[in-house]
Amino acid sequence: MQSTRLIRDGETLHLQGQINFQTVTALYKMVTLELVSGVTTLDCSKVEQCDSSAISLLLAGRRLALGRQINLQIRGMNNQILSLAGLYDVEKVLHAE
């Protein structure tokens, strides 16, 4: 099983590994803590595997950031994340390119 890791580098939080229904609850708690302590960018470029839970995590992060007036950037969304964002018609909310 692939591990899931969060690595903070300044104001950037790098999500690595897999995001799925088994990992999303713990990830949500950690992402929330990081957002309230100064993270302004979520980097998804090292996400290796995900399901729709990844979209839920990113939307929750976006919602939390908006509520705290944080200009959250979501970068490095791979084809799997972009495909799911398209399926759920949330590309604009996530600012997916």
Side-chain angles (χ1 to χ4, degrees), residues 14-15 27 30 37 40 47 53 57 61 71 74-76 81 85-87 93:
H14 302 273
L15 292 89
L27 287 172
M30 291 185 281
S37 67
T40 59
V47 173
S53 300
L57 178 66
N71 183 20
I74 301 174
R75 298 195 177 144
I81 295 171
L87 177 67
V93 175

Side-chain angles (χ1 to χ4, degrees), residues 12-15 17 19 41-60 62 72-97:
T12 300
L13 187 62
H14 302 273
L15 292 89
I19 303 172
T41 302
L42 295 179
D43 179 4
C44 301
S45 62
K46 302 277 185 186
V47 173
E48 297 168 2
Q49 186 275 330
C50 66
D51 62 19
S52 60
S53 300
I55 299 301
S56 297
L57 178 66
L58 296 176
L59 289 172
R62 173 75 70 208
L72 180 66
Q73 302 294 313
I74 301 174
R75 298 195 177 144
M77 288 185 272
N78 64 25
N79 288 335
Q80 196 173 21
I81 295 171
L82 291 172
S83 177
L84 287 166
L87 177 67
Y88 296 112
D89 196 26
V90 295
E91 304 101 316
K92 290 181 182 176
V93 175
L94 297 175
H95 303 284
E97 302 173 359

